[in-house]
Amino acid sequence: MPTRRKKFDCGHRGLGAYCHRCAQGFTPDRGRLNRRKGKSASAARSGEPLECLGIDLRILPHGSLRKKAQAALLGIVRDGKPYPIFGGKRMLHNRRILSVPLGRNWRLLLEEQEDKRKTVLSILSHESYNRVIAK
């Protein structure tokens, strides 16, 4: 004989002695599990970089992208390594601006100064990067 679903005091329906959704931290207003405390808290625990040379890396969605951005920033800006090592190239419309890919959907923009130093302009998603190129 099949069991019937019951409605718990919290408003959820299910089979069992208690509401498993509420026990896991489900929030009914958002409709998903709330297991993570936040991106910055989890990133700080796992040793991911949150900032590098004054640039906030929390806009990048994954820790692997943050590490790649940190390596590119420290290598090009601080250590003076050539940008083609990191897959970078010069822009066609302004040869002083360098674009370094950080993955498929993120780009790091740098500007070369008169004395060959590189300064960071921004970290952009590929959609924003395409808008910058179109100008």
Side-chain angles (χ1 to χ4, degrees):
M1 184 167 153
T3 57
R4 295 184 69 178
R5 290 180 162 260
K6 55 177 128 174
K7 189 172 185 179
F8 298 108
D9 295 334
C10 59
H12 295 126
R13 294 180 181 268
L15 309 169
Y18 62 94
C19 179
H20 290 79
R21 296 174 101 185
C22 290
Q24 289 181 349
F26 183 83
T27 55
D29 57 336
R30 292 196 179 167
R32 62 181 172 189
L33 290 176
N34 241 357
R35 293 182 183 162
R36 292 176 49 169
K37 302 287 186 239
K39 285 186 179 179
S40 60
S42 65
R45 280 195 308 266
S46 66
E48 295 173 4
L50 298 177
E51 187 175 302
C52 181
L53 300 175
I55 303 298
D56 187 21
L57 301 177
R58 283 179 280 195
I59 62 169
L60 297 171
H62 300 290
S64 61
L65 288 175
R66 291 184 192 112
K67 289 179 183 177
K68 189 181 275 192
Q70 182 185 30
L73 283 170
L74 294 177
I76 296 171
V77 176
R78 188 187 68 184
D79 299 336
K81 292 183 181 177
Y83 60 90
I85 291 175
F86 299 97
K89 60 181 180 177
R90 291 187 183 271
M91 302 293 264
L92 293 176
H93 66 280
N94 186 352
R95 303 294 288 174
R96 291 178 36 194
I97 297 178
L98 309 170
S99 172
V100 178
L102 297 177
R104 231 179 128 162
N105 296 323
W106 292 90
R107 300 289 182 266
L108 170 66
L109 288 183
L110 304 166
E111 183 178 13
E112 189 174 45
Q113 302 296 325
E114 303 293 328
D115 57 354
K116 304 297 181 191
R117 285 184 305 118
K118 277 80 171 175
T119 58
V120 180
L121 291 178
S122 62
I123 295 177
L124 300 170
S125 67
H126 203 274
E127 292 85 13
S128 302
Y129 173 75
N130 286 340
R131 277 187 245 126
V132 168
I133 291 175
K135 289 182 179 179

